[in-house]
Every structure is written in C-alpha cells, then in structure tokens.
Amino acid sequence: MNQDALVWCLVAAVAVAVAAALVLNRRNKAIAAKKAQVEATLTQKLSETEGQLAGLWGELQQHKTQHAETIQEAEEAAEESTKAVLKGSARFLQSLAAEQLALLEEIQRKYGGHAVLGDLLEVNHANAQMARKAQGIAVMCGAPLGRRNKAASVYDVVRSAQGQIRNFRRVEIMQQTGFALKASAVSPVALAVAELLDNAASFSQQGSPIEVTFQRVQKNLCIVIDDAGVGMNDEDRQKASALLSGDHRPRLSQLGNQPKFGFPVIGLLAQQYGFRVDVTGISRYGGVRAVVLLPEELWTEEEITPAETPQLSTIHSAPARPESVARTAHGLPRRGARQVPIASVPDHDDTAAPPAAASEETGRAAGRSLGAFQRGTLSGRNLASAPFEGSDDT
Amino acid sequence: MKDEPEQDLELTSPLVPLFVITNGRALPPDHAYERTTLVSAHEGASAAARTISPEARQVLDLVMDGFLSVAEVAAHTHLPLGIVRILLAELEESGLVIARKPVPRAERVDRELLNAVLDGLKARFGA
C-alpha cells in the first residue's frame, strides 16, 4: 500500500515536472522569437544610423575643405592687398631715397671743400642703406627695381653694393677686372650682392674681413664672397637654397617680426634677371662662400671708365699745353706770368679736339679763374672771421 | 593705391658713392692738404701701389711727374676737394706721396692795436 502511494506520488511529480517543462519551453520559444524580432529592428536602426553618420561625415569633410579653401583665399587676398599697400609705400620710399641720393651727391660736390663734407658722407651712407631696404621691400611686393642706364664695371657694381651695408669698411674687393655688367643687370646684381654682403657681415664677427673676388668660369662670371663667420648647418643650407632658387616664395606674413628678406629678395631677382646664387660653399675662413653666377648674357669684357671721372687723356692731349712751357726742368709746374697756363681744366662737355686758338682762350680763362680763385682765398684768409669758404665747387 | 601705369624709376646718383671711394676715412685736419699744398708721388710709388682704388690711382698718376697743388688735383680728377684730401692722406700714410706745405704766412699784426699804440704815443709826446 505504501509502495502504491509512493508510485502515485512519483507519477504525479513527473506529470507536474513535464507540465512545467512544457510551459517553460513554450515561454522560451516566445522569448527567443521576441529577441530575434527586437534584434532585427535594432540592426536595422543601427544600419540606418550608420548610413546617416556616413552622410554627415561626408558633409563634414566637404565643409572642412571648403573652410580651408576659404581661409586660403582670404589669406591670398590679404597677401595681395598687403602687397599692394606695401608696394605703393615701397615705391614711394624707393623714389624718395633715389632722389635723396642724387641730391646728396650734388651737395657733396657743392660743399666739397668744406668740413661739412665729412658729415654729408655719413648721411649718404645711411641713406644708401635705406635705399637698399626700400628696394628689397619693393622687390618682395613685385614692384620693379630702379634701373640704371649705363653699363658699369663689375668692380664698381660691387663697390656700389658695398656702400649699401652698415659695416662696409670690412669689405675687401681683391682684384680689379676688365669685366663690365650690362646696364640692365647693374641694379639687380648690385642689390643681390648688397644683400649677400649684409648677410656675410651680420653672421660673422665684427672686424673680420669679407673678401670679394671675381672669377671667370667657362661662360660665367662669378662674384665670390667669402666671410669668416660660423657657417650654416645642413638644414639652413637647404632652406637657403630653396629661397635662393626662387622656387619657394614665402608670404610677407610669414617673414615674422624681424623680417629677413635677404634670401627671398635675391631669389626673386635671380629668377627675374637670369642669374644664379649659391651659398652652399665653405669659405677659406670656414665661413660661408656665396657665389653669384652671371651668365654671359649679363656681362661683357669691355673696359668701363667710371662716368664721374672723365678720362685723363683729354687733359694730357690738350693741344695748347706744351710740356716745355708747363713744367720746369725739375718737373715742377711753372707759375707766374706766361703765355699758356699750366692748369687747363677741361670742361665736361669738351669735345675730342677743340681748335687750338679756342682752347688757348679757354686755357687763359681757366688760368684767370684760378688766379681769381687764389686771390679770393687770400682775401678770405685776411678777414678776421673766416667766412663760409666751402662753396666753391672744385 | 592708384592703379596708374608703373613708371620705371631711374637711378641718377653715381653708382659708386663718394664714401666708398674714401673707404669711410675721415677728413684730414684742416691744416693738412690745403688747396695750395703741393703733392708729388714718391719714387717707385706706381709699382708699390697695387691695391689702391682706381680714384687713388688716378690721383697718384697725376702727381707722378712732379708737384701739383691739391686744388689742381681736385680739378683734374673732378672729385670734390675733400675727397681728394682724404685720398691724399691715405696715399701719404702708405708712403706713396709726399706733401710740401705752403710757406706759412707772416704773422699779421693787429692794426687796431698799432693804431692804439700810435694814438698813445701821439698823446704822450705830441706830434
């Protein structure tokens, strides 16, 4: 009996368990189905959102590129307008500096005998440096360079450049050559050499020499500038080469607070006028060796006599100046009463061979004027307070 | 800025400024190289002078054969007197030229002082 009861109990428990399992199973199935459904909707939503995201990303990129373009355009516009403003000012300064240089030269000649000449020379030096800066800015802004209409010896072109830097006494030009630069090349080469000399002077010790030599290498004429500075490292050299070739043109706004336009200016000039500049060499003092390479289109092999000093030959060949009268046996110029004056200063515009009589007359006039000049000097000295005596143009 | 056609700027000042010709030397003192001072080249100066500027060379050539006054050198070279004086100072320093100073003028006596003395004498002794 007891066994039966146990069996029945077991059966009942199994039945309950089976029923429970059935119920659970059905529930599980329902849950799984729901889960799948939810998963499907979620995936769908995810992919939709991903699509939206991709679209937005694309838009963002587009905006970004547009933004960059706009900034670049704005920068270029700003650069252009800055250049335009600066160009106008630079041209103004340029022409004023040039005018002032011409004026100063005139004044220096006018007061050549006066002590004020010493100060005038210094003013001229300061002005020459200002003119160089103005020219540099003008070149950076794309304005044309002031031009010269006469060919000049390369020696004088370098001397002109020498006068445009502060410590010009340090520059030693080693040899005089028979090479002349064509008129169109005079200004740009002078400015480029001036910038190189300035660089050489700023990056070497005070008082160390800066040597300029000339070399003819095949069809090129080289102006070689050696300094005794510290030299450049490889990075500096690469940067310099890029600037000097004119390929890399920095913006005005990139030049910074203490703008260095030396190399950019040289690069622009070199590209414009067809010469080359290299600063990768090492000078014999261990500093930088800068070489300006001028192709044969820019120079000739003729002798140029400086324009401001007329040829001596016209003085010596003046027909109305026989040596026997002009000088004593000891080679001294003879003074006193004479038919022909010894010092006949030829006029600037004297043509090659003036007629003998006329030149004798001009000679006498010159003699008289010299006499008057001497009397003037003497009477000037007799006055208690010496008047302003420097105004005679000698 | 006005957009006018760009005119070429022509540089009319001499290419080589005067202060470069003198290499930045200061003017010699007033009493040195007066207008009437006579200068002449030293013997053998031409050969010794290799590294001088063309302008200094021109001055040297002028005084090569004898004495010439400073004023005349300036006139011949068309350089301002002061520049010639600086060049001459440079040349003399390197022993290339010699300068002969003009004869110093006799000391002048103060005319007013003499008159005063004369007046005094007249007053003292009568005349």
Side-chain angles (χ1 to χ4, degrees):
Chain A
M1 272 315 272
N2 223 353
Q3 242 176 0
D4 275 358
L6 205 64
V7 167
W8 278 116
C9 267
L10 250 172
V11 168
V14 166
V16 166
V18 166
L22 277 175
V23 167
L24 275 175
N25 196 22
R26 195 175 300 159
R27 225 186 236 171
N28 262 354
K29 267 184 188 163
I31 286 172
K34 224 179 195 174
K35 188 183 159 199
Q37 201 185 341
V38 169
E39 256 181 13
T41 49
L42 278 179
T43 337
Q44 200 190 340
K45 270 192 188 166
L46 186 69
S47 63
E48 264 173 36
T49 321
E50 268 177 355
Q52 274 179 350
L53 189 68
L56 284 175
W57 185 252
E59 241 170 86
L60 182 69
Q61 288 303 327
Q62 207 181 332
H63 279 301
K64 266 190 184 166
T65 48
Q66 267 180 3
H67 184 63
E69 268 171 28
T70 320
I71 284 183
Q72 202 181 349
E73 270 171 29
E75 269 180 1
E76 269 165 23
E79 174 84 2
E80 285 310 308
S81 53
T82 313
K83 265 189 185 174
V85 171
L86 260 184
K87 188 175 168 179
S89 318
R91 281 183 69 78
F92 179 72
L93 281 181
Q94 214 184 344
S95 60
L96 202 63
E99 198 183 315
Q100 211 166 331
L101 281 177
L103 260 177
L104 269 170
E105 178 71 20
E106 220 173 274
I107 299 171
Q108 281 170 9
R109 291 194 175 270
K110 191 171 169 191
Y111 298 106
H114 198 272
V116 77
L117 179 70
D119 301 330
L120 285 174
L121 292 175
E122 290 193 15
V123 175
N124 198 0
H125 180 211
N127 203 54
Q129 292 173 68
M130 191 181 81
R132 170 173 69 94
K133 218 46 173 191
Q135 299 235 50
I137 301 173
V139 170
M140 283 300 288
C141 302
L145 212 54
R147 65 185 163 77
R148 299 221 172 242
N149 56 8
K150 273 189 197 134
S153 73
V154 67
Y155 177 76
D156 278 350
V157 171
V158 173
R159 285 206 295 174
S160 159
Q162 184 192 358
Q164 298 176 32
I165 71 164
R166 180 163 285 277
N167 293 312
F168 72 96
R169 290 179 193 81
R170 288 170 56 191
V171 179
E172 290 166 14
I173 308 173
M174 295 310 273
Q175 71 216 36
Q176 295 169 29
T177 52
F179 303 115
L181 288 191
K182 290 183 181 167
S184 60
V186 171
S187 281
V189 172
L191 183 56
V193 172
E195 292 294 349
L196 288 172
L197 288 177
D198 187 50
N199 228 41
S202 347
F203 289 99
S204 58
Q205 267 189 344
Q206 282 284 334
S208 62
I210 300 162
E211 271 183 18
V212 181
T213 47
F214 304 102
Q215 267 170 31
R216 193 185 164 170
V217 181
Q218 288 158 1
K219 287 182 173 180
N220 299 312
L221 175 64
C222 297
I223 304 173
V224 183
I225 301 161
D226 282 340
D227 71 41
V230 285
M232 291 194 283
N233 58 34
D234 286 343
E235 197 190 343
D236 287 344
R237 266 199 203 108
Q238 272 179 354
K239 269 189 202 165
S241 298
L243 288 172
L244 288 174
S245 66
D247 293 339
H248 173 57
R249 297 185 183 186
R251 290 214 176 113
L252 285 176
S253 48
Q254 291 171 338
L255 291 176
N257 279 338
Q258 291 178 320
K260 292 193 178 102
F261 4 81
F263 283 170
V265 165
I266 299 170
L268 286 171
L269 287 175
Q271 210 173 39
Q272 222 170 320
Y273 292 90
F275 56 91
R276 275 197 290 144
V277 177
D278 177 274
V279 292
T280 52
I282 293 171
S283 83
R284 67 175 113 169
Y285 306 111
V288 173
R289 164 169 284 189
V291 182
V292 182
L293 216 114
L294 305 164
E296 57 181 338
E297 297 86 50
L298 298 183
W299 56 275
T300 53
E301 245 176 292
E302 53 190 302
E303 278 294 338
I304 301 278
T305 43
E308 61 260 326
T309 50
Q311 300 80 349
L312 287 174
S313 55
T314 59
I315 297 169
H316 290 315
S317 66
R321 191 191 162 190
E323 275 302 305
S324 59
V325 179
R327 287 175 188 276
T328 65
H330 305 291
L332 301 177
R334 186 176 289 175
R335 278 147 224 286
R338 65 180 83 81
Q339 292 296 307
V340 183
I342 53 127
S344 58
V345 182
D347 283 327
H348 265 295
D349 46 0
D350 241 355
T351 40
S359 82
E360 200 173 292
E361 183 48 41
T362 53
R364 278 209 194 98
R368 276 199 298 275
S369 69
L370 264 183
F373 169 69
Q374 200 165 15
R375 283 195 297 279
T377 316
L378 292 180
S379 70
R381 283 183 187 158
N382 279 332
L383 291 176
S385 61
F388 188 60
E389 61 163 50
S391 58
D392 5 21
D393 183 8
T394 43
Chain B
M1 290 298 124
K2 280 172 272 177
D3 212 24
E4 28 185 73
E6 285 176 352
Q7 292 168 340
D8 261 7
L9 174 69
E10 197 181 316
L11 305 176
T12 51
S13 60
L15 186 62
V16 185
L18 291 172
F19 65 86
V20 172
I21 291 177
T22 60
N23 203 21
R25 279 182 71 110
L27 279 168
D30 279 347
H31 55 81
Y33 311 105
E34 290 173 62
R35 286 172 213 268
T36 46
T37 302
L38 297 175
V39 284
S40 177
H42 242 282
E43 265 178 56
S46 187
R50 291 232 176 98
T51 55
I52 59 174
S53 68
E55 290 79 13
R57 158 73 60 187
Q58 199 188 355
V59 170
L60 194 62
D61 285 347
L62 270 175
V63 297
M64 199 56 89
D65 318 313
F67 281 93
L68 209 60
S69 76
V70 173
E72 283 170 299
V73 173
H76 280 305
T77 52
H78 288 272
L79 288 169
L81 184 70
I83 303 299
V84 169
R85 292 175 63 224
I86 296 172
L87 290 177
L88 285 171
E90 189 187 353
L91 287 172
E92 193 178 18
E93 206 170 86
S94 32
L96 296 173
V97 299
I98 41 173
R100 180 185 287 175
K101 286 191 177 155
V103 182
R105 298 177 54 79
E107 214 171 286
R108 287 192 299 277
V109 192
D110 193 340
R111 199 183 168 92
E112 273 178 33
L113 183 71
L114 283 183
N115 274 334
V117 172
L118 185 62
D119 290 347
L121 287 172
K122 276 179 183 167
R124 181 83 174 76
F125 303 105

